[in-house]
Amino acid sequence: MPFEVVLRWHGLGVGLALLLAGQVAAQADDALFDDELGGREARLGGVLKLGSTLVDEPEREPAYLSSGFARLEYEQPLGQSGKLIAHGQLDLLAASDRRLHQAMRDQPGPVDRSLTLHKRLEHGRQHQWQASLDWLYYQHDWEGGRLTLGRQPVSLTQGRIWSPADLLAPFAPSDLERLYKPGVDGVRLAWSATADLNLTSMVTSAKVQGEGSHANFLQQADWADERGKTTLLLSYRDGQRSVALSRQHNNLLAGADVYGELAASRLDARSAQLWRDRTAVRAVVGLNRKVAENTLLTVEYFYQSLGVTEPADYAAFELRAAQTDLPAMGLGRHKLGVALSRQASTLLSLEGQWQANLNDGSSAVSGLLKYSLQKDLELRAAFSLAVGGKRDSEYRRLGNAWQLGLFYYW
């Protein structure tokens, strides 16, 4: 689904019993060492969420998806330059349709996790509770360096909609909000080699069913200059070798920041046999520009060599993709996306996005409205609508969704 699922109104009694203290955590900022050392007091915060989603798919009766979550964030300073960060979450998922519940329950989760830090409780075939620790890591800072150990968020991309280079639990292209990223298990060392060059080395641990745990390796180098930033990324994951190169050039085109990212992966023997190709290439070219006061426009073109152009091939593509260690980014070979965000006032913000499959002619438009009812209480309304293409095309087959949610922070 293009949006996070929320609690159906007829289940509010159950949802209110579920909701505990929690905190929506901002996505980790990968600009190295931006936060100042200091602020040595422990912090605790929380957020509660409840709401409702109506899903209307082709040739199916409308169905409701229900969920609620309570998220807890705790930060404890340790010594003069270390701290422990933990984010726990309690989720409820329910659906009026058994097939829809199964589809949401089996969505691809975060990659590269070996520790079992969650507990799932099933109630019949349409209701599920889950408690988990999504972030749990120690961070140690010193002048020019940072070490993090444990379950932590990692972002590896320049793309705003599509993320070709991000192999560690990337956001889905349809996610409008990207404030909270799931953590992966590993150790990361980041340090400044020179004033303009930052290096990051990371080892993650991933558990494969029936095969135990294994290590994956990643090396990243960032060069900053007066005009922007260049990033080189090398990784070894599950027998697959990947290299990515990205560049952001500030104020290059009519005041817009222009960026591009190219990622190539050498598939292992099993994946190569599935695709009948040893190499997978993904690329994005985009621009980001302020078009009015508090209004930001993003335009992106995305390409993937393994994508397919005919709807008759979509089922086989999804089957092969599920068995390949590459995050899913849609079915088509060529995609176009446009996103617009506006802070209309201190109380109201709006986000919209249009995505198109340039091969099958299908497209979808989605939107998100956030309105602050009071300082710590926020109402959110969202929608996703298919606006083009035949019934078996990529975006048409996803159907439409309408959502209403309520958030309370403290």
Side-chain angles (χ1 to χ4, degrees):
M1 292 302 302
F3 298 105
E4 189 177 15
V5 188
V6 286
L7 183 66
R8 188 182 178 185
W9 295 119
H10 67 65
L12 292 186
V14 177
L16 290 173
L18 156 73
L19 296 173
L20 304 175
Q23 170 69 32
V24 168
Q27 177 185 345
D29 187 352
D30 280 298
L32 299 179
F33 328 128
D34 280 348
D35 55 325
E36 299 179 359
L37 298 180
R40 307 309 297 166
E41 296 182 358
R43 293 190 302 163
L44 180 68
V47 62
L48 310 178
K49 177 184 178 180
L50 52 90
S52 176
T53 299
L54 171 65
V55 179
D56 184 13
E57 297 177 293
E59 300 181 349
R60 295 185 182 275
E61 292 293 326
Y64 292 91
L65 285 171
S66 307
S67 76
F69 73 68
R71 187 171 292 151
L72 179 71
E73 175 189 325
Y74 180 69
E75 184 176 308
Q76 174 63 58
L78 299 173
Q80 291 299 312
S81 53
K83 58 184 176 181
L84 178 68
I85 298 172
H87 293 175
Q89 183 161 313
L90 184 62
D91 294 274
L92 166 67
L93 173 65
S96 62
D97 180 88
R98 185 175 299 175
R99 182 201 59 81
L100 196 55
H101 175 267
Q102 187 69 22
M104 293 303 300
R105 179 187 181 277
D106 294 340
Q107 285 190 108
V111 295
D112 290 15
R113 285 188 172 183
S114 287
L115 300 177
T116 303
L117 300 179
H118 70 272
K119 179 65 176 178
R120 177 182 292 172
L121 298 176
E122 301 281 359
H123 295 277
R125 298 185 179 182
Q126 294 173 231
H127 301 82
Q128 170 188 301
W129 299 71
Q130 178 168 295
S132 63
L133 280 171
D134 218 19
W135 294 9
L136 181 62
Y137 65 95
Y138 170 74
Q139 175 179 309
H140 183 80
D141 293 293
W142 64 92
E143 186 176 356
R146 170 175 293 172
L147 174 69
T148 51
L149 174 65
R151 180 163 294 177
Q152 57 192 284
V154 182
S155 186
L156 303 170
T157 188
Q158 302 244 16
R160 275 64 165 182
I161 300 176
W162 287 280
S163 310
D166 197 346
L167 302 175
L168 298 178
F171 290 105
S174 53
D175 290 336
L176 293 183
E177 287 192 293
R178 304 191 174 198
L179 298 178
Y180 182 79
K181 190 173 188 189
V184 297
D185 295 341
V187 56
R188 178 167 55 160
L189 174 63
W191 58 286
S192 297
T194 68
D196 300 324
L197 176 61
N198 292 318
L199 300 176
T200 301
S201 302
M202 186 167 189
V203 179
T204 61
S205 179
K207 182 182 292 184
V208 178
Q209 188 173 3
E211 300 180 14
S213 297
H214 61 273
N216 293 321
F217 304 92
L218 181 146
Q219 179 63 51
Q220 180 174 319
D222 294 292
W223 294 271
D225 54 50
E226 295 180 354
R227 298 180 177 180
K229 184 176 78 169
T230 301
T231 299
L232 174 65
L233 180 67
L234 305 173
S235 70
Y236 177 84
R237 303 176 44 76
D238 298 326
Q240 295 181 176
R241 297 169 176 82
S242 300
V243 58
L245 182 65
S246 60
R247 170 69 182 175
Q248 176 169 315
H249 201 105
N250 300 329
N251 198 22
L252 178 64
L253 182 64
D257 297 338
V258 178
Y259 54 91
E261 188 167 277
L262 174 65
S265 299
R266 184 71 170 173
L267 303 179
D268 59 21
R270 180 172 178 274
S271 296
Q273 186 176 10
L274 288 171
W275 294 103
R276 298 180 182 177
D277 197 337
R278 289 306 304 266
T279 305
V281 177
R282 293 178 170 184
V284 67
V285 178
L287 63 84
N288 212 27
R289 189 180 191 279
K290 182 178 179 181
V291 294
E293 187 69 23
N294 300 320
T295 305
L296 193 64
L297 173 69
T298 298
V299 180
E300 284 190 4
Y301 164 76
F302 173 70
Y303 165 81
Q304 58 177 342
S305 63
L306 298 184
V308 290
T309 60
E310 299 296 331
D313 299 325
Y314 287 169
F317 177 93
E318 291 174 315
L319 184 62
R320 292 193 298 267
Q323 302 177 62
T324 307
D325 188 42
L326 288 174
M329 293 188 190
L331 306 175
R333 186 169 296 230
H334 302 275
K335 300 283 194 73
L336 183 65
V338 179
L340 188 69
S341 62
R342 175 173 173 77
Q343 186 69 42
S345 69
T346 56
L347 302 180
L348 177 65
S349 66
L350 305 167
E351 297 178 51
Q353 184 168 284
W354 173 77
Q355 285 187 33
N357 182 323
L358 301 180
N359 299 119
D360 67 16
S362 68
S363 62
V365 61
S366 55
L368 173 66
L369 176 150
K370 296 185 286 187
Y371 182 75
S372 298
L373 299 172
Q374 58 186 52
K375 180 180 178 181
D376 300 317
L377 188 64
E378 184 177 79
L379 176 67
R380 301 190 188 190
F383 69 89
S384 178
L385 302 175
V387 294
K390 298 180 180 179
R391 180 165 294 180
D392 55 352
S393 57
E394 178 176 4
Y395 291 104
R396 178 67 69 180
R397 68 207 288 259
L398 296 178
N400 304 321
W402 294 266
Q403 209 176 71
L404 194 63
L406 196 67
F407 286 68
Y408 178 68
Y409 304 88
W410 70 88

